[in-house]
Amino acid sequence: MQSQIKYIHQQLVDKQISCVDLVQQRLDRLKQNTHGSVNTLLEADALKRAQAVDAKLANGESIGLLEGIPFGVKDVFMLQGTHTTASSAFLKDYKSAYTASAIQKLLDAGAIPIVKENCDSFGHGSSNENSIFGAVQNAKDSELVAGGSSGGSAVNVAKDFTVFSIGGDTGGSVRQPAGYNGVYGLKPTYGRISRYGLMAYASSTDCVGPLAKSVEDIRIVLNAISGKDVKDQTTYKSSQIDEGALENTAGIKTVGYFKNLLDNEGMDPSIKADFMSALEQIKAKGIEVKALDFMDADTLVSTYYILAMAETASNLSRLDGTNYGNRIGAENLIESYAVTRSNNFSEETKRRVVGGNQVLSQGFSDEIYLKSLAIRDQLTADFERFFDDVDILLSPVTPGLPPKVGDSLKDPLAMYLSDAFTVGFSLGQLPTLTVPQGTATGIQITAAKTDDERVLQFAHLLEETL
Ligand code: GLN
């Protein structure tokens, strides 16, 4: 697929379409909310921004590549003055007091946010059903889930409601819905994009990630939002990835895959077969393919959920109705906290807060929390070892196909296991991208830390190979 951003940019420059018409068309499609992907439309503000772009063009001024391009924002990002609900009852009336750094960079580049997008509440989920706005429906088949937690963002891109969207990925929330809906979704190296203004779920793996319809659009957006930010001390300075650099695939000679995870009994046979045949096509390009042995799915998923629950229990402790969110008054302060939290958090979020506080509590933390941190160190060492041998790691995105709406809610543990392929790379803080090729839910491309460029190069190669 060609770059939508460049295509639309050219249409604007050639005056084939006005920016107001472009934005209005997308807003009209979103208004119908056919797939449940919309939390709030940003109509008035978006049209005002579009008018400013049209005025510049009418004046004969030049515009930047992202100027006037309509995009979507997962409803966990601060955007000053807009409702920022995290799809939760807790924050359903909350408005952002400031703007997230990544979103501010897009505003500075002239891109136009048009919608706050449905997601799993506080990022908790893999199906986008944990939301006060209802389930998001899959772009390919409305009976199926969109995936989560950035389900609204993936569907909006897949259905051309937005040109690109900005999601958040803690354990797979950009990559998994990208795979379920057939679009590209990147989780960059942890720290490449500032988390300032992204509502914290699990701070040690939270990443900002773009979703789009081409590798080129992912590259353009990634360049616009990357960089060191004094407001997030985990960010680092990265260089821009040039367009020409994507052609440079000669350095990629060896690809590794996790044989043990594919042999897992939870694996859908069609995804496994399609993945193996994709490896054959890659081999035919002269690239060596190596089978690797990694931690088993249960260890990966348990380690991730223990740490993610511990971190979210801690992060969400700030929500007690005092400073943020809907407060429910009661007899005394402690009662008020209890009623406010019990009534405003969803079942899934409460499961995680209770679980997280449990693993952090005295008597359990050594056995569970600290042990998970030790496994994470082991995993980091494993990845370093793998990347001594291979240039890229390839894996499916999900072990199975998207379930029917309603099914995952019956069995939360089964839902957690559907994250088997995504959570390891989150714990390792590696750059990893879903491409909508190879299997019914895509393929995930991963490179060593900070080598996001290599991920995009390989995606470019797959565009031509698969
Ligand atoms: N599905 C995973 C979870 O529920 C990942 C979610 C995310 O990345 N925000 O934790």
Side-chain angles (χ1 to χ4, degrees):
M1 164 83 68
Q2 64 170 325
S3 160
Q4 295 299 296
I5 295 174
K6 286 183 174 165
Y7 177 74
I8 295 170
H9 172 73
Q10 204 52 51
Q11 282 191 316
L12 289 171
V13 170
D14 295 344
K15 301 212 171 66
Q16 285 169 14
I17 187 168
S18 73
C19 192
V20 166
D21 285 348
L22 166 72
V23 167
Q24 191 65 62
Q25 275 171 13
R26 304 283 173 145
L27 286 166
D28 288 346
R29 289 182 212 166
L30 284 163
K31 257 184 217 164
Q32 297 167 27
N33 202 14
T34 48
H35 291 69
S37 58
V38 178
N39 284 4
T40 315
L41 275 186
L42 309 174
E43 185 159 18
D45 185 67
L47 288 171
K48 215 160 85 196
R49 289 178 194 275
Q51 277 160 9
V53 175
D54 283 338
K56 263 179 105 171
L57 287 165
N59 248 343
E61 289 174 53
S62 64
I63 57 166
L65 193 53
L66 281 167
E67 216 163 334
I69 303 291
F71 72 102
V73 182
K74 182 179 182 179
D75 204 6
V76 288
F77 284 94
M78 300 301 155
L79 173 55
Q80 195 173 37
T82 66
H83 280 285
T84 304
T85 69
S87 295
S88 69
F90 222 121
L91 298 174
K92 75 176 190 309
D93 304 314
Y94 179 76
K95 281 190 176 171
S96 300
Y98 63 98
T99 299
S101 293
I103 307 300
Q104 187 59 52
K105 287 191 173 198
L106 290 168
L107 294 179
D108 294 345
I112 302 182
I114 58 172
V115 57
K116 299 296 279 289
E117 303 171 312
N118 200 350
C119 57
D120 282 298
S121 194
F122 298 108
H124 296 158
S126 315
S127 66
N128 212 146
E129 294 169 287
N130 174 28
S131 162
I132 55 158
F133 298 98
V136 180
Q137 283 112 52
N138 192 289
K140 297 182 189 171
D141 176 349
S142 315
E143 295 208 340
L144 307 180
V145 302
S149 61
S150 312
S153 311
V155 168
N156 286 340
V157 170
K159 301 296 287 181
D160 293 319
F161 299 154
T162 59
V163 178
F164 65 90
S165 284
I166 301 297
D169 188 311
T170 303
S173 276
V174 162
R175 292 162 283 153
Q176 189 254 34
Y180 277 2
N181 295 283
V183 299
Y184 289 84
L186 174 73
K187 183 200 91 63
T189 301
Y190 179 82
R192 187 179 182 104
I193 304 173
S194 170
R195 286 176 293 121
Y196 179 73
L198 162 64
M199 247 183 245
Y201 165 10
S203 309
S204 75
T205 61
D206 285 346
C207 288
V208 178
L211 298 107
K213 279 201 154 167
S214 64
V215 184
E216 180 59 3
D217 285 349
I218 294 280
R219 183 190 72 81
I220 294 168
V221 178
L222 178 67
N223 278 343
I225 61 183
S226 296
K228 187 146 184 64
D229 180 6
V230 289
K231 295 172 182 154
D232 173 359
Q233 292 300 318
T234 62
T235 51
Y236 67 93
K237 189 167 174 288
S238 52
S239 20
Q240 296 276 300
I241 301 172
D242 296 331
E243 184 176 357
L246 298 196
E247 313 277 336
N248 235 333
T249 51
I252 303 172
K253 297 196 168 66
T254 320
V255 160
Y257 73 100
F258 303 131
K259 188 171 177 322
N260 62 312
L261 288 182
L262 286 175
D263 291 341
N264 194 301
E265 53 180 49
M267 203 55 221
D268 180 277
S270 73
I271 293 187
K272 179 174 173 179
D274 290 346
F275 180 76
M276 294 313 288
S277 99
L279 288 182
E280 287 306 315
Q281 285 165 271
I282 289 163
K283 258 189 221 164
K285 280 257 172 184
I287 293 171
E288 190 187 350
V289 174
K290 284 190 179 172
L292 304 169
D293 205 17
F294 192 34
M295 289 178 182
D296 59 73
D298 279 348
T299 308
L300 287 168
V301 171
S302 313
T303 306
Y304 165 76
Y305 273 97
I306 288 164
L307 296 174
M309 286 187 188
E311 292 187 34
T312 205
S314 165
N315 276 323
L316 293 185
S317 64
R318 77 192 64 168
L319 289 177
D320 57 17
T322 308
N323 293 309
Y324 317 95
N326 296 326
R327 178 193 182 91
I328 301 174
E331 297 271 293
N332 53 46
L333 191 60
I334 301 285
E335 267 303 298
S336 172
Y337 289 163
V339 179
T340 298
R341 287 168 65 82
S342 302
N343 291 4
N344 280 320
F345 282 137
S346 67
E347 285 307 304
E348 183 57 40
T349 294
K350 279 188 268 194
R351 194 165 14 253
R352 293 172 186 224
V353 169
V354 170
N357 283 323
Q358 167 96 353
V359 302
L360 288 171
S361 60
Q362 203 176 9
F364 289 98
S365 66
D366 287 8
E367 264 304 301
I368 307 178
Y369 179 70
L370 294 182
K371 190 167 167 194
S372 298
L373 285 181
I375 295 174
R376 185 179 192 172
D377 286 344
Q378 176 64 52
L379 169 142
T380 304
D382 284 353
F383 280 133
E384 275 169 21
R385 193 163 43 81
F386 293 145
F387 285 115
D388 282 343
D389 272 352
V390 303
D391 303 311
I392 285 286
L393 289 170
L394 271 193
S395 75
V397 179
T398 58
L401 301 166
K404 282 209 158 119
V405 173
D407 281 1
S408 338
L409 298 176
K410 295 176 199 149
D411 187 354
L413 280 181
M415 186 180 77
Y416 298 166
L417 277 170
S418 75
D419 296 336
F421 284 108
T422 51
V423 293
F425 302 127
S426 296
L427 292 170
Q429 304 189 327
L430 305 177
T432 169
L433 171 77
T434 289
V435 299
Q437 287 156 296
T439 83
T441 62
I443 283 189
Q444 197 177 195
I445 303 171
T446 308
K449 230 173 179 173
T450 73
D451 213 351
D452 304 52
E453 177 167 308
R454 181 157 282 190
V455 170
L456 298 190
Q457 286 168 342
F458 197 73
H460 179 69
L461 188 123
L462 285 196
E463 265 183 328
E464 289 158 12
T465 308
L466 296 182

